[in-house]
Amino acid sequence: MQNKTKNICCIFNLAPHYRSAIFTLMDKELNCDFYFGDQVETPIKLMDVASLSGFKKTVRNVKIFNNKYTWQKNVVGLVFKNYKHFILTGDHKILSNWVIAFLAWILNKKVYLWMHGLKSKNELHWREKLKIYPFYKLAYRFLLYGNYSRNILIEKGFREDKMLCIYNSLDYNTQLKIRQNIEKTNIYTDYFKNENPVLIYVGRIQKIKKIDLILISMVILKQRGNDCNLVIVGDNTDDLDLGKIVRDAGLESNVWLYGPCYDEELTGELIYNADVCVSPGNVGLTAMHSFVYGTPVITNGNFENQGPEFEVIESKLTGDFFEENNVWDLANKISAWIGLDNKNRELVRTRAFEIIDNKYNPNFQIQVLKTALNS
């Protein structure tokens, strides 16, 4: 879908590096104009927005009303330009988006909310409905990260034809090239000097991720005679003293605090050679990153507290869910997954590949966007 004129305006809260592949594809095939917010509360690596031919401006995200809401400066006036379609971050706490959506509705222009949607099946308090529902009603289409939220929205009375699942993606094309040439290596036996199965955690190191639960589970498994190793890959954004936690657990010889890794080939090797990825808190992008290299994922089963990417996991097929905060159940789930024979491990790997290749990639996302814009 090549537009000769710029009739699509994208206004997002941020330009995270992990979304550079889909933004680049949108820039190429949809001919969008892009406006990005300058910062959010969570530290996150940003993409080079100057690489987008349609990049127009980085706008200030101004916190208002006791820092509970955001106003993006100098974006409301864009609704009066020649744009016909507005793709917005679907966060009801960005109040400038309310104004854009309302004015677009008056001007017979279309707004698409790219968003998580509702995460709870429980009935919302009337105050929450007042904050969220009118904003959603102004949108022409929802672009949702997953089916879990879609089903909740349908249950709450939103039209099914208003929703499209766009899922999420990483730098899929780069990862696919690496995957096509990847193979088993001795990276873990060389480091740990043993043949124990290897657990991996990949992602930001934060309290909310509950990495300490992995270590407690490893102690339980050790007491059962099921020793395993753990490699932790990522930025320590919460300044957790992981070294002390590891020492207190007596697991110094079984834990590799790898640190951040920005070399995708090295990250791919680490994930591919691990037996299972464990993310005891919310799993998010970690699940996709693990699956693109064929490694199963274990995370908690409280879906209301999960990132939408938990949906890639098919229980007993490509990973599992343990009872939230229950280290004994987590230890049992880990024990089941580190004991796979080579045949079943390859079956899991193949299924994980299929899930990413079919849906969780920029090529699928761009087709969803074209469908939404042409509907």
Side-chain angles (χ1 to χ4, degrees):
M1 176 181 172
Q2 281 285 357
N3 297 308
K4 293 181 180 180
T5 58
K6 295 281 186 95
N7 62 17
I8 303 170
C9 180
C10 300
I11 306 172
F12 298 126
N13 65 332
L14 201 67
H17 183 267
Y18 85 86
R19 297 184 75 180
S20 58
I22 180 57
F23 288 159
T24 300
L25 199 56
M26 290 168 64
D27 189 47
K28 177 182 177 183
E29 298 200 18
L30 300 182
N31 202 22
C32 306
D33 279 348
F34 292 92
Y35 297 80
F36 296 105
D38 59 347
Q39 61 182 344
V40 292
E41 293 81 4
T42 305
I44 188 168
K45 185 179 179 182
L46 302 180
M47 71 173 287
D48 176 16
V49 291
S51 65
L52 303 173
S53 63
F55 169 66
K56 291 299 180 183
K57 186 185 291 186
T58 297
V59 300
R60 283 190 61 204
N61 287 341
V62 181
K63 295 308 251 181
I64 56 178
F65 299 138
N66 294 323
N67 292 324
K68 292 182 179 180
Y69 296 89
T70 299
W71 182 272
Q72 292 190 283
K73 295 193 71 174
N74 302 318
V75 295
V76 170
L78 296 172
V79 77
F80 298 109
K81 296 202 172 195
N82 291 329
Y83 301 119
K84 297 179 181 178
H85 306 273
F86 290 84
I87 304 176
L88 309 178
T89 300
D91 183 350
H92 72 281
K93 292 185 177 181
I94 303 177
L95 298 188
S96 48
N97 282 351
W98 279 75
V99 180
I100 292 171
F102 179 69
L103 292 174
W105 177 71
I106 292 175
L107 296 170
N108 199 29
K109 298 184 177 186
K110 295 176 180 178
V111 166
Y112 309 79
L113 297 181
W114 197 329
M115 63 181 189
H116 291 268
L118 299 180
K119 296 179 68 175
S120 175
K121 293 183 179 180
N122 298 324
E123 189 66 30
L124 293 174
H125 191 278
W126 70 266
R127 290 191 183 92
E128 289 300 312
K129 287 184 179 180
L130 194 61
K131 292 176 183 177
I132 297 173
Y133 279 28
F135 180 54
Y136 287 1
K137 291 291 186 181
L138 290 170
Y140 176 66
R141 289 284 186 273
F142 300 156
L143 302 170
L144 298 167
Y145 285 109
N147 288 290
Y148 181 77
S149 177
R150 179 178 180 274
N151 292 336
I152 293 175
L153 286 163
I154 292 171
E155 186 179 307
K156 300 302 180 186
F158 288 90
R159 295 200 330 264
E160 188 171 349
D161 62 357
K162 191 171 184 172
M163 291 170 266
L164 293 169
C165 286
I166 196 167
Y167 303 107
N168 212 340
S169 69
L170 295 169
D171 190 359
Y172 173 73
N173 290 334
T174 297
Q175 293 171 335
L176 186 59
K177 289 177 182 177
I178 293 170
R179 191 178 84 190
Q180 289 168 344
N181 296 299
I182 208 165
E183 58 186 21
K184 296 286 286 184
T185 67
N186 296 323
I187 189 169
Y188 291 129
T189 53
D190 289 347
Y191 181 84
F192 290 110
K193 309 301 181 187
N194 62 47
E195 299 288 339
N196 295 342
V198 177
L199 318 178
I200 189 170
Y201 170 84
V202 182
R204 289 198 295 269
I205 298 168
Q206 302 168 298
K207 292 178 182 177
I208 195 173
K209 299 297 183 178
K210 302 179 182 179
I211 298 172
D212 58 311
L213 299 187
I214 308 177
L215 299 170
I216 298 171
S217 298
M218 289 173 66
V219 172
I220 294 171
L221 291 170
K222 190 180 184 73
Q223 292 170 348
R224 296 176 182 173
N226 294 330
D227 286 3
C228 53
N229 303 319
L230 169 66
V231 58
I232 300 174
V233 184
D235 278 314
N236 193 341
T237 58
D238 281 0
D239 293 324
L240 294 176
D241 192 348
L242 284 177
K244 182 180 185 304
I245 297 172
V246 170
R247 289 191 298 274
D248 290 347
L251 295 171
E252 296 98 319
S253 61
N254 297 104
V255 177
W256 186 0
L257 298 178
Y258 193 93
C261 182
Y262 302 110
D263 185 322
E264 188 61 32
E265 288 195 22
L266 289 177
T267 304
E269 181 185 14
L270 291 165
I271 296 173
Y272 184 87
N273 283 278
D275 291 271
V276 62
C277 173
V278 185
S279 184
N282 54 31
V283 70
L285 300 173
T286 297
M288 293 162 48
H289 210 168
S290 296
F291 272 36
V292 79
Y293 296 116
T295 297
V297 176
I298 297 172
T299 189
N300 79 77
N302 183 354
F303 299 154
E304 292 186 5
N305 290 337
Q306 279 291 1
E309 295 80 12
F310 82 87
E311 291 183 23
V312 301
I313 303 169
E314 297 169 298
S315 185
K316 305 294 190 296
L317 294 176
T318 55
D320 223 327
F321 300 100
F322 73 98
E323 183 182 349
E324 188 176 28
N325 299 322
N326 186 333
V327 292
W328 300 98
D329 192 36
L330 177 56
N332 291 337
K333 294 299 192 298
I334 291 172
S335 179
W337 281 95
I338 60 177
L340 292 183
D341 58 35
N342 289 336
K343 179 181 178 182
N344 284 312
R345 181 67 183 84
E346 287 307 309
L347 289 174
V348 172
R349 197 183 295 283
T350 299
R351 178 57 182 153
F353 290 165
E354 289 175 352
I355 292 167
I356 299 299
D357 295 345
N358 289 339
K359 291 182 179 178
Y360 289 82
N361 62 76
N363 304 318
F364 178 86
Q365 290 182 299
I366 201 69
Q367 295 305 319
V368 173
L369 285 167
K370 289 177 179 178
T371 298
L373 293 164
N374 287 322
S375 62

